[in-house]
Amino acid sequence: MIQTFAFYLFALLVIASGVFTITARNPVHSVLWLIMAFFNAAGLMVLVGAEFIAMLLVIVYVGAVAVLFLFVVMMLDIDFAEMRAGFIRNFPLGIAIAMVLLAELVLGIGAYQAGALELGVPDGSAAPLADASNITSIGALLYSKYIFLFETAGIILLVAMIGAIVLTHRESPEGARGHQDIGKQNRRRPEEATEMKNPEIGKGIEL
C-alpha cells in the first residue's frame, strides 16, 4: 500500500514539476522546478530498485547540471520582453520540429508493434551478481569486462578538462597589474618585504 501511494505521489510531482518547468515565466523558477522533477524521478527509481540510477540523478543532474543551469541563469541579464518576442517568432519552427518528432515516435511504436523491429536479447554476460545490489553489480561489470572502456572515458574527460583550461587561460603581460612573479616572491628577503617608518609625533608619513 505504501509503495503504491509513494509511486503515485512521485509520479504526480514529476509531471507537475515538468509542466511548471515549461510554463514558468521566471528562468530561475524554471530551473528550481527542474530540480524538483529530478528529485522525484530519483524517488521513482528507488521504488523500482534502481538505486544507482537514483544516485546518478541526485548527484549528477541535481548536484551538477541543474545547479550549473541555476548559476548561469542567475548571472545572465535576461531581457524578458526580447525573450517573449523570440518565442513568438520561433513558435512555428518549434511546432514543426515537435510534429516531426511525434511522427517519428508514432512510426517507431507502430513498427515495433507490427513486429518489424527485433530488440537485442542479452547473452547473460552482464547478468547481476547473486545476493548483490545494483551498485555492486555495475561496479563489478565496469571494472572487469568494461575496464578499458571505462578508463578510456576517464582519459577523454581529463583531456577535455585540460583543453578547456588551456583554451580559456590567458597569460598576463609582464608588468601588468595583478601579474605575479612566483620566483621573485620566493627569493624576496624579509627586509625587502616591509619598510619600517618612524614618523615624528603629529606629522605622519608620506605615502
Side-chain angles (χ1 to χ4, degrees), residues 81-100:
E82 183 180 354
M83 185 175 62
R84 286 193 291 268
F87 173 78
I88 296 174
R89 183 174 61 253
N90 297 320
F91 184 74
L93 178 61
I95 291 296
I97 295 176
M99 295 303 295
V100 171

Side-chain angles (χ1 to χ4, degrees), residues 11 51 73-75 98 101 114 128 148 158 162 199:
E51 66 273 5
V73 168
M74 292 177 66
M75 288 187 296
L101 295 177
F148 294 109
L158 177 62
I162 296 175

